[in-house]
Amino acid sequence: MQPSTRNIAPAEKAVSVLSYFTMGIAGLIWILIAYFLNKRLKFFLMYNAVQSMLISVFLALLNIVLTIILQIITVIPALNRIGINISIFLQQRFNLLGLSFNITEIFVFIVLLYISTGIILGKIFYVPCLTRIMKKIMKEYR
């Protein structure tokens, strides 16, 4: 996380946090509203909205790739047992406060809490793999 250079309105912070927890949907809605009203979103809000959408796409692609890899591993006789055990481990459900989560959902939730804490503090969160893409997208926006 990098420090912010200016004060950020609480509404911007709220929409940014919501954008991450809705996997980019709230951010996309704000971008569309701003587009149709010919308004320009502030950099902080636009950055977090676009980044939340990119993270969502990345997580979806990662899920697809891991599913394919596990399917291939379970077909190979020597690795069959390992693939099945990994699959069972990733699908195992845990009850927390009356809600059921698996390992990946808990991990994603913890990462979203970390990002949200940074947003509430007014900091811009950089994702190592996606930062270069974000810089290219947001370069023209400033």
Side-chain angles (χ1 to χ4, degrees), residues 14-139:
V15 172
S16 295
V17 168
L18 238 132
S19 184
Y20 283 100
F21 279 98
T22 60
M23 294 306 193
I25 302 293
L28 179 62
I29 291 170
W30 276 99
I31 291 171
L32 291 174
I33 289 171
Y35 175 77
F36 287 121
L37 295 177
N38 280 337
K39 301 283 182 179
R40 187 174 168 95
L41 292 177
K42 294 188 179 174
F43 179 80
F44 184 81
L45 180 57
M46 184 67 166
Y47 182 88
N48 284 306
V50 172
Q51 183 167 277
S52 66
M53 288 184 268
L54 283 176
I55 288 174
S56 299
V57 169
F58 175 75
L59 288 175
L61 291 175
L62 183 66
N63 184 27
I64 291 169
V65 168
L66 289 178
T67 302
I68 291 170
I69 290 172
L70 280 175
Q71 291 296 323
I72 292 170
I73 288 175
T74 56
V75 173
I76 300 171
L79 301 175
N80 186 1
R81 193 65 158 158
I82 295 170
I84 291 172
N85 287 337
I86 291 172
S87 181
I88 289 171
F89 176 73
L90 291 176
Q91 293 175 5
Q92 185 178 359
R93 308 294 288 181
F94 297 97
N95 289 323
L96 299 172
L97 303 173
L99 301 172
S100 179
F101 299 100
N102 65 22
I103 295 291
T104 54
E105 291 168 346
I106 292 170
F107 175 74
V108 169
F109 184 73
I110 290 170
V111 169
L112 289 177
L113 282 177
Y114 175 71
I115 292 171
S116 298
T117 303
I119 289 172
I120 291 169
L121 294 174
K123 300 188 186 283
I124 293 177
F125 183 80
Y126 293 101
V127 177
C129 300
L130 301 176
T131 300
R132 283 178 277 149
I133 297 169
M134 285 299 300
K135 285 182 180 179
K136 288 178 184 177
I137 292 172
M138 298 304 292
K139 185 178 183 179

